[in-house]
Amino acid sequence: MTRSASTAAPPTQATEPGPTAGRRSGHRAPGKAPWRDRPLRRITPWLFLLAPLALLVAFTYVPVGNMIYFSFTDWDGVSPERNFVGGDNYTQVFTRPELFKVFAVSLYYLAASVVQIVIALYFATVLSFDLRFRNLFKGILFFPYLINGVAIGFVFLYFFQDGGTLDSVLSWFGADADHAWLGSPESANTSLAGVSVWRFTGLNFVLFLGAIQSIPGELYEAAQLDGATRWQRFRHIIAPSIRPVLSLSVILAISGSLSVFEIPYIMTGGATETSTFVIQTVKFAFQFSKTGLASACAVVLLAIILLITWIQRRLVPDERVDLV
């Protein structure tokens, strides 16, 4: 009896609840409000957003608002007087044939955008595999996008001039070297669109390459074990994965083809029917001192780009792709 009593378990002593007991049981200490009820913590995220939102409003929405206001006036860009003319500027935009005629020039750049997307997608797919000197080729493809557009315009201006670099290279192969590449509308617009292909292919290449490299490697290994060819891997793995990026590239291609400016402005100044809608807008503002009409042109161009983007997003909505 004595041994059994000594080995019996001692009675459990009542202990005070620790500081974490209430937290574990879901109760908070009395007198302390949750963090959402504290005013400073509630406004902290907005304090971090204050600076970027202020810059966004100051340099984006305020200028757009001023542009819309100027489009209803006859302001010349210099005089402090701004007379309200209503929708007269918009009437001129839609009734002057030379304004919407320049949209035909955008078709050249739209076709060039399709070419550059195809080229960028091809090289991004090829260089995503393990190849020799692939980092060198990545740099070569992306390098033109890093060069200033004005510098590119002057370089290709000498490249396409009579007796220039292109004519010298063609003469080595016995081709006719006497050709005015920027002398006719068709040849000039094709040449300028080719320059845009050379310059902007690197941007699409980087977008596609980043999307392809984000695909899990296990999918490629499984496809390789199943005996899938590279075309089958591209069709069933790569293409569905990069669909959102491809949709973004299409939006950028359409908006970019409508707002081309620096390359044709530097190389031809809009001559030989190479003028774009943006070049016409700049001429209205700074050459003819019709800032009100130029603002109306800019508003119309913005509305067209937003409309095309909305239609494209409705026809090809973003789909969540889950391959794993």
Side-chain angles (χ1 to χ4, degrees):
M1 292 296 293
T2 306
R3 185 176 181 181
S4 61
S6 61
T7 58
T12 305
Q13 297 180 356
T15 59
E16 295 291 334
T20 60
R23 190 180 307 170
R24 292 177 182 175
S25 61
H27 301 285
R28 61 175 181 267
K32 289 187 177 181
W35 73 272
R36 293 182 183 274
D37 296 338
R38 300 179 186 179
L40 182 60
R41 292 191 176 184
R42 292 180 63 182
I43 65 173
T44 297
W46 296 102
L47 293 177
F48 283 103
L49 291 173
L50 185 61
L53 287 177
L55 293 175
L56 179 65
V57 171
F59 295 101
T60 301
Y61 294 109
V62 172
V64 170
N66 289 332
M67 180 182 65
I68 296 174
Y69 166 70
F70 295 150
S71 66
F72 293 100
T73 65
D74 61 351
W75 189 39
D76 59 359
V78 179
S79 174
E81 297 181 359
R82 304 186 185 97
N83 298 320
F84 184 78
V85 296
D88 182 64
N89 290 326
Y90 292 96
T91 303
Q92 293 187 49
V93 170
F94 289 102
T95 56
R96 299 180 68 163
E98 67 271 15
L99 286 178
F100 276 86
K101 182 181 179 181
V102 297
F103 278 112
V105 179
S106 300
L107 297 177
Y108 288 92
Y109 297 97
L110 185 60
S113 299
V114 175
V115 173
Q116 71 187 23
I117 288 176
V118 172
I119 295 175
L121 184 57
Y122 171 77
F123 281 106
T125 304
V126 172
L127 295 179
S128 63
F129 298 101
D130 190 12
L131 298 175
R132 293 185 61 185
F133 306 110
R134 63 175 182 174
N135 291 329
L136 175 63
F137 289 112
K138 290 178 184 178
I140 292 174
L141 287 170
F142 186 66
F143 177 73
Y145 183 70
L146 301 177
I147 305 177
N148 182 268
V150 177
I152 291 176
F154 280 111
V155 168
F156 279 93
L157 181 61
Y158 292 103
F159 181 82
F160 286 116
Q161 71 178 0
D162 297 344
T165 306
L166 182 57
D167 289 341
S168 299
V169 172
L170 292 177
S171 63
W172 296 345
F173 300 94
D176 186 12
D178 187 13
H179 184 77
W181 297 99
L182 302 178
S184 62
E186 293 79 9
S187 178
N189 286 311
T190 303
S191 301
L192 296 177
V195 176
S196 68
V197 171
W198 181 83
R199 183 187 180 191
F200 292 105
T201 298
L203 175 62
N204 292 282
F205 167 75
V206 170
L207 294 176
F208 292 145
L209 185 64
I212 293 174
Q213 290 181 344
S214 65
I215 301 174
E218 294 81 1
L219 297 178
Y220 294 114
E221 296 176 1
Q224 189 174 6
L225 291 175
D226 291 339
T229 61
R230 288 191 174 183
W231 165 249
Q232 291 174 335
R233 279 180 277 178
F234 172 80
R235 179 182 177 183
H236 298 287
I237 297 177
I238 296 178
S241 301
I242 66 173
R243 190 178 303 167
V245 179
L246 183 60
S247 177
L248 174 64
S249 298
V250 172
I251 293 175
L252 294 177
I254 296 174
S255 61
S257 62
L258 293 174
S259 56
V260 177
F261 172 68
E262 54 187 7
I263 290 178
Y265 186 78
I266 294 297
M267 296 183 64
T268 63
T272 61
E273 298 184 13
T274 59
S275 180
T276 62
F277 194 81
V278 180
I279 293 178
Q280 288 281 49
T281 302
V282 171
K283 287 183 177 180
F284 283 143
F286 299 102
Q287 185 174 349
F288 302 110
S289 299
K290 295 183 178 181
T291 305
L293 180 59
S295 300
C297 294
V299 172
V300 170
L301 179 60
L302 177 63
I304 292 175
I305 293 176
L306 292 177
L307 178 62
I308 293 176
T309 303
W310 179 79
I311 294 175
Q312 193 272 342
R313 301 286 287 183
R314 295 288 293 179
L315 295 177
V316 188
D318 284 341
E319 299 179 2
R320 180 166 179 166
V321 179
D322 192 4
L323 298 177
V324 293

